Amino acid sequence: MSLLDKAKLVVTPTAWAKGILYSVKPNTTDGDFDFIQTGSSYRTNSSGLLEYLPKNRIVESNTFTTTWSATNLTLTSGQADRSGGTDAWIFSKTGASARIQQNVNDRNSGFQTVSVYAKAGTLDFLYLQLNLSTTRGAYFDLSSGTVGSVGANLVSAAITAAGNGFYRCEVRFNANLTNVRVSLADVDGGFSNSNTGNIYVQDVQLENGSTAGTYVAVTNRQNYPVINYENNVGHFLLEKASLNLYSYSDSLETNWSASGTNPPTLTAKQFTSPDGRTNASRLEFPNTATASALQQGFTHLNNFRHAITVYAKSNTGSNQTFRLFGDDASASAISSVFTATNDWQRFTFYFTATSTGTKQSGIYHDAGSSSDLQIFGAMVERGSTSVNFSATTYIPTGNQTKSRANGRAHDAGVGASGIFNDSEGVLYAEVGTDHDQSFRSIAISDGSLSNCVRIQFSTTLNQVIANVRAATATSMNSTHSLTDASAFNKIAISYKANDFKLYVNGTLVATDTSGTTPTGLDRVSFANFNNSNNFQGRCKMLAVFDEQLTTDELECLTTP
C-alpha cells in the first residue's frame, strides 16, 4: 500500500475557495481547513506574475446594499439573470441622474478595468462612470449591443453579448481610481434626464489589467487563501500581519520626491511590471558628484527593525546598480550595492531606526556613475526590536498605507471519523517558516493543550520542536536545529506508546521511548488547539496518518 493510500488526510496547494483550504484526501468536507485573513494579498501565480487576491476589487459585487449608495433608484433582487438563474437585479429609475456608486478604498494606479452585466428594460442605456467625471464615462446601448459616447480620459470601452439578453459592458482606465458609478439613461448622453424607467443589472467587477477577466463574486474582501508559486511549484502561504507604510507603492509616482544636487528622473508607468500591467516606472540616476535618491517619508520607531523591498530590473540590457536606504540615510541605514539585471528581482534591505520620527527612505545611488532602472512595488514594513525579522509579500497601496492580517488555517477533521487515531499515527508537513523567532505550531489535538501532537518552531532561530502531550503529561518534547527554517523542510512526528520519533529531511533526529499517547484527537490546525501560535510560512503538503509508519516509510516520506 502506498503512502498516499495510507494517509487519512492530505492537503496540498490544489484547490481553495473563500474561507476554505480544500483537502485532497478525504475528498469530502471532513478534511477541509477553515481559512481566515482580513485584507487583500498579492501572490505569485503559476505564470510567474503577481496577482491580486481576490481579483475583483469591488465589495458586494452583486448585492448593492451596504457598500453602495443609491440615488433616485429602487433596487429589486431575484430577477432572471444571464445564466438562467435569478441573481440579477432590476434598477428602477425614479428621477434624474439615477445611479449606484461605490468608493474604491484600495486605490492604485495603472491599467484597470471595470465591467458590469446589464440588459435593457424599459430603458435602453447604461452609463458606466469612473471618478465622478464625465470624461471618464461611457454609454452602452443595451438594445443594439453597441458602445455609445466614450469620455476622453478613458482608454477604451467595449460591449459583449453574455446570454439571455445581457451584455457585458466594460471600460478601461489608466490612472488612480477612486469611485465606480453605474447609471441609467434613456438616450446616449441622457444620464441627467428626469424620465423614469428600468434596466437589469448584475455582477460588477473592478480588476487590475486592461481586459475584463472571468467574473469573481465578492461579498467582502476577506478570507481568501493564497496559493503561491516558486519555480512553478505551488504552496500555501500563511503570512503574518503586516503594513506597507509607503503610499502609492506601485509606480512610485505620487508622494515620492527626488533629492540631490542633480536628482534622478522618474517617468511613471512606462513598462510591464511583475503583475502584468503597464505600471512599472523608469528611474534614471545621472552621473553626478553627489549621491541622489527617490524617497518618501514614513514614521520610524527607535530601535525597531524595518524592511524595505522593491522590484527592479535594468532598463539598458546591461547590469545597473543602486542601493536602498532608510533613517534619513544614516550610516547604518544604507544598503550594500544591489545589481539589477535584465530580469525582475525583488530586493530587500533591513535596518534599525536610530530615533523616532518621520524620516526619508527609498532608492539611493552613489556619486560617480549613472544608473537606468525599471522599478515597481516599493514596500516598507516595521518589525520589532528583534534582529530576526522577515519581510512579507508585497502589499499594494494607493493614497494611503495598507495592512494585511494574519492568515490562519484551522480545524480540519472536526466531527469526522476515521482520520485520527489516539493509539498511533504520524503528523507530517513540508514547510518553511520565517525568522521572526516566535512560537508557531502545526498540531493535531482534542481542542485543548491536554492532548496534542505538535510540530513547533520556537523562539530560538531555526529550531523545531516535536511535542506530544497526553492527559496534560508530556510524552515527547525534543528539539532539533534546522539548517534554515525558512527553506522547505520535511518534518514528521511518529507517535505510539513508548515509541516517539522525529524525522527531519530523511533522518531520524530524536526519539523518546517512554510515554503514553494522546486521547480524543479530532482536529488538525496550522496553530495550537486554540488557534494561538499560528503557523506563519509556506506549506507544500500536510498529511495525517492513523498508524505508525515503518522506518523505511518515514525515511521515504521525509527525504527531500
Side-chain angles (χ1 to χ4, degrees), residues 408-430:
R408 295 183 286 137
H410 57 90
D411 289 352
V414 175
S417 60
I419 295 178
F420 307 104
N421 184 355
D422 295 348
S423 300
E424 59 180 292
V426 173
L427 171 63
Y428 166 77
E430 183 177 2

Side-chain angles (χ1 to χ4, degrees), residues 118-379:
K119 183 176 81 169
T122 59
L123 296 176
D124 289 336
F125 280 84
L126 176 138
Y127 181 44
L128 190 53
Q129 186 183 30
L130 309 180
N131 292 4
L132 310 182
S133 171
T134 56
T135 66
R136 292 165 178 165
Y139 284 87
F140 299 89
D141 187 339
L142 301 175
S143 63
S144 64
T146 57
V147 177
S149 302
V150 178
N153 288 334
L154 288 178
V155 174
S156 61
I159 186 168
T160 307
N164 290 342
F166 280 82
Y167 291 91
R168 192 177 198 185
C169 308
E170 59 184 272
V171 294
R172 303 177 185 93
F173 187 49
N174 186 19
N176 187 39
L177 183 58
T178 61
N179 181 279
V180 173
R181 177 182 280 183
V182 180
S183 308
L184 284 67
D186 58 331
V187 295
D188 191 350
F191 162 63
S192 60
N193 293 347
S194 59
N195 61 296
T196 60
N198 60 64
I199 64 172
Y200 297 87
V201 174
Q202 73 176 109
D203 299 344
V204 183
Q205 181 150 297
L206 162 63
E207 58 196 293
N208 296 339
S210 56
T211 58
T214 302
Y215 171 71
V216 176
V218 174
T219 51
N220 58 50
R221 296 185 55 77
Q222 300 180 6
N223 306 331
Y224 283 83
V226 178
I227 297 179
N228 209 44
Y229 285 81
E230 294 178 10
N231 300 318
N232 297 318
V233 179
H235 59 260
F236 296 126
L237 183 61
L238 298 168
E239 287 205 283
K240 64 185 178 185
S242 192
L243 170 71
N244 188 352
L245 294 163
Y246 285 143
S247 60
Y248 295 101
S249 61
D250 277 0
S251 59
L252 287 76
E253 184 179 4
T254 307
N255 286 3
W256 293 81
S257 62
S259 68
T261 304
N262 190 4
T265 300
L266 181 84
T267 308
K269 293 180 286 191
Q270 297 293 300
F271 309 104
T272 302
S273 78
D275 76 2
R277 296 185 295 159
T278 308
N279 57 346
S281 298
R282 183 180 185 182
L283 182 60
E284 298 173 87
F285 287 98
N287 186 344
T288 64
T290 58
S292 56
L294 180 72
Q295 61 191 25
Q296 183 177 135
F298 75 92
T299 301
H300 294 51
L301 292 184
N302 187 35
N303 290 328
F304 274 70
R305 294 281 287 175
H306 297 76
I308 300 174
T309 54
V310 69
Y311 290 88
K313 65 179 291 189
S314 169
N315 190 48
T316 66
S318 59
N319 292 349
Q320 302 290 297
T321 61
F322 68 99
R323 301 177 189 260
L324 297 174
F325 79 97
D327 204 47
D328 281 343
S330 63
S332 61
I334 302 176
S335 75
S336 59
V337 174
F338 291 121
T339 300
T341 66
N342 291 327
D343 297 316
W344 282 109
Q345 301 174 74
R346 193 185 192 205
F347 297 89
T348 304
F349 171 56
Y350 298 93
F351 71 93
T352 300
T354 58
S355 62
T356 296
T358 299
K359 300 182 181 184
Q360 297 298 318
S361 67
I363 304 172
Y364 177 100
H365 193 264
D366 296 323
S369 66
S370 61
S371 194
D372 190 350
L373 302 166
Q374 296 180 27
I375 57 172
F376 168 79
M379 180 165 167

Side-chain angles (χ1 to χ4, degrees), residues 34 40-41 43 53 57 92 122 144 201 209 225 238 245 288-289 297 320 398 448 466 469 482-483 531:
D34 296 330
S40 305
S41 299
R43 71 163 185 156
L53 292 176
R57 292 165 49 213
S92 300
T122 59
S144 64
V201 174
L238 298 168
L245 294 163
T288 64
Q320 302 290 297
S448 76
R469 291 175 60 85
L482 301 168
T483 301
N531 295 319

Side-chain angles (χ1 to χ4, degrees), residues 28-71:
T28 66
T29 58
D30 288 345
D32 297 342
F33 284 84
D34 296 330
F35 182 87
I36 298 173
Q37 183 174 55
T38 302
S40 305
S41 299
Y42 256 119
R43 71 163 185 156
T44 302
N45 65 22
S46 57
S47 300
L49 296 175
L50 288 177
E51 181 180 66
Y52 204 41
L53 292 176
K55 178 178 71 174
N56 189 354
R57 292 165 49 213
I58 290 292
V59 181
E60 294 186 331
S61 60
N62 196 46
T63 307
F64 309 121
T65 53
T66 307
T67 58
W68 294 87
S69 60
T71 302

